[in-house]
């Protein structure tokens, strides 16, 4: 089966409650790899994992930029993103969500 021409940025919730962010073309295959212990080193230690959020990007470069931005967020901000409430966060917050605009999505902020 041919791979799709787009990339996904995804967030997994690990057994220890931590979030893991990554990119992949085939999320089901990547999730299986994480849960089989052949994925990232972090998820091998803190699996099993559950997919809690994903977003499609048209290029690998855009996916990597979005991944880096998400990885820079606090756990509270990642939780808000997963719950799709990031646009409802208070403007006075000192989190990285309010530092500057994200080049991938100008309506969102980045570190």
């Amino acid at each position: 089966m041919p791979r799709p021409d787009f990339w996904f940025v995804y967030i997994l919730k690990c057994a220890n409650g931590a979030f893991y962010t990554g990119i992949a073309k085939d999320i089901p295959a990547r999730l299986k790899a994480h849960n089989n212990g052949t994925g990232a080193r972090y998820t091998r230690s803190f699996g099993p994992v559950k997919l809690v959020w994903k977003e499609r990007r048209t290029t690998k470069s855009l996916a990597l930029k979005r991944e880096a931005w998400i990885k820079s967020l606090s756990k509270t901000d990642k939780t808000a993103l997963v719950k799709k409430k990031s646009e409802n966060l208070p403007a006075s917050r000192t989190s990285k969500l309010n530092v500057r605009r994200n080049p991938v999505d100008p309506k969102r902020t980045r570190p």
Side-chain angles (χ1 to χ4, degrees):
M1 181 174 173
R3 287 187 184 169
D5 290 334
F6 46 82
W7 287 80
F8 286 95
V9 183
Y10 62 89
I11 300 176
L12 305 176
K13 188 156 191 179
C14 299
N16 67 348
F19 290 119
Y20 174 85
T21 305
I23 67 167
K25 281 191 161 220
D26 184 355
I27 289 185
R30 189 66 178 145
L31 184 59
K32 185 177 179 180
H34 282 298
N35 281 320
N36 287 339
T38 57
R41 188 176 306 166
Y42 186 84
T43 59
R44 278 182 241 158
S45 300
F46 299 105
V49 298
K50 176 182 167 188
L51 180 67
V52 293
W53 182 88
K54 67 180 177 179
E55 182 177 85
R56 189 170 74 173
R57 292 291 175 199
T58 54
T59 67
K60 183 177 183 179
S61 176
L62 291 176
L64 286 167
K65 287 176 185 176
R66 184 70 163 161
E67 176 192 25
W69 179 74
I70 292 169
K71 284 183 174 183
S72 73
L73 299 175
S74 68
K75 184 170 183 177
T76 302
D77 292 338
K78 288 177 190 175
T79 301
L81 180 64
V82 166
K83 290 182 177 181
K84 299 189 188 255
K85 294 181 182 175
S86 57
E87 53 277 343
N88 297 329
L89 291 172
S92 63
R93 219 151 147 190
T94 57
S95 75
K96 292 184 178 186
L97 279 176
N98 297 316
V99 178
R100 56 188 145 137
R101 295 287 165 199
N102 183 333
V104 177
D105 185 354
K107 292 182 181 178
R108 302 187 77 82
T109 55
R110 70 176 174 100

